């Protein structure tokens, strides 16, 4: 508490470190791989690859820096969501419903980004509705605020969830509703892809193929005499992997078969790139 205001903390350490390490590894390797694989005569192709890579790097840096300043503040007038340099002020009189969501929600991205411990953007929560997430880990519960400014999802730390609910009830004059997603019928909540064994198997298989391909190149490429362009195959495989997993989760909610197919395509293409690299290295 700061005077009559309440500063709400989030558990962000895991997401900050994961995002930093993942960003350095993925983007660092991608830029190095493009530069290493392409020669002086490949200026056009180099430019075509650098432009989207730089764009995604810029977006990623903005997302990561904004995570550092993610938090909430409640005072006598409003609840404020702070994300990066942006502040969303929700006056108490603009709030319509406040719902404490318990259990494992079925969330999928409409126009959002997430990694372990971080979720930002527009999502749909099956059984609840659309939600603009500004949080860390909503999978075991979050605060769903319906207001005239939009629907928001917040994830205060476990220690501060109840104090924040009490503060909202006192200052916003709102009755706190509660929804248990685990008790919600499956036909309403939908099938969570993380609970689908076959989907998880395909997802893990993608990671295994990608990691195996990277390890193979790390061991066999040096001194093999294979063209530098071989490294670009891994860069393209990584890009395809992230494209497919981001779209497979969204497609799965409308067609589980469509989600499976996207993941299978990613595995197949990575396998094809591996075979091409194998032929270049061994022949």
């Amino acid at each position: 508490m700061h005077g009559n205001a309440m500063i709400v903390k989030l558990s962000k350490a895991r997401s900050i470190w994961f995002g930093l390490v993942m960003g350095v590894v993925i983007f660092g390797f991608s830029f190095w791989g493009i530069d290493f694989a392409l020669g002086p005569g490949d200026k056009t192709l180099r430019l075509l690859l650098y432009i989207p890579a730089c764009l995604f790097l810029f977006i990623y840096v903005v997302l990561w820096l904004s995570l550092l300043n993610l938090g909430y503040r409640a005072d006598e007038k409003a609840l404020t969501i702070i994300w990066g340099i942006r502040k969303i002020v929700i006056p108490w009189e603009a709030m319509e419903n406040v719902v404490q969501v318990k259990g494992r929600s079925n969330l999928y991205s409409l126009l959002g980004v997430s990694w372990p411990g971080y979720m930002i953007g527009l999502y749909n929560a099956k059984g609840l509705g659309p939600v603009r997430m500004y949080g860390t880990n909503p999978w075991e519960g979050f605060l769903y605020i319906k207001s005239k400014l939009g629907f928001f999802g917040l994830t205060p730390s476990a220690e501060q969830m109840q104090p924040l609910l009490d503060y909202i009830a006192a200052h916003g004059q709102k009755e706190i509703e509660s929804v248990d997603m685990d008790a919600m019928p499956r036909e309403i909540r939908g099938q969570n892809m993380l609970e689908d064994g076959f989907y998880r198997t395909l997802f893990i298989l993608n990671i295994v193929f990608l990691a195996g391909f990277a390890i193979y190149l790390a061991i066999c490429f040096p001194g093999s005499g294979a063209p530098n362009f071989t490294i670009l195959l891994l860069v393209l495989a990584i890009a395809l992997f992230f494209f497919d997993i981001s779209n497979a989760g969204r497609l799965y909610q409308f067609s589980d078969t469509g989600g499976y197919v996207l993941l299978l395509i990613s595995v197949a293409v990575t396998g094809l790139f591996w075979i091409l690299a194998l032929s270049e290295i061994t022949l």
Side-chain angles (χ1 to χ4, degrees), residues 10 18 23 41 60 68 70 76 93 104 107 184 202 216 256 258 274-275 278:
L10 289 77
F18 182 91
Y60 190 88
L68 299 179
L70 175 62
E76 294 180 350
E93 59 271 16
R104 194 171 192 83
L107 287 157
M184 185 176 289
L202 291 176
Y216 171 76
D256 53 359
W274 197 342
I275 293 172
L278 180 66

Side-chain angles (χ1 to χ4, degrees), residues 3 5 24 43 54 69 84 103 108 114 119-120 124 130 175 212 241:
V24 169
K43 292 181 180 179
C54 289
N69 195 37
Y108 65 92
S114 68
M119 182 176 286
I120 198 77
N124 191 50
E175 181 178 347
F241 168 73

Side-chain angles (χ1 to χ4, degrees), residues 74-136:
D75 57 34
E76 294 180 350
K77 295 183 178 180
L79 173 66
T80 301
I81 302 171
I82 303 166
W83 181 66
I85 61 174
R86 186 182 184 191
K87 291 185 178 181
I88 302 171
V89 180
I90 310 172
W92 297 121
E93 59 271 16
M95 284 192 184
E96 298 173 341
N97 295 94
V98 180
V99 182
Q100 182 182 11
V101 181
K102 301 178 180 179
R104 194 171 192 83
S105 301
N106 185 10
L107 287 157
Y108 65 92
S109 170
L110 297 175
L111 191 61
V113 176
S114 68
W115 62 70
Y118 186 37
M119 182 176 286
I120 198 77
L122 181 61
Y123 284 76
N124 191 50
K126 278 290 192 72
L128 293 174
V131 54
R132 289 160 61 186
M133 291 299 307
Y134 290 91
T136 51

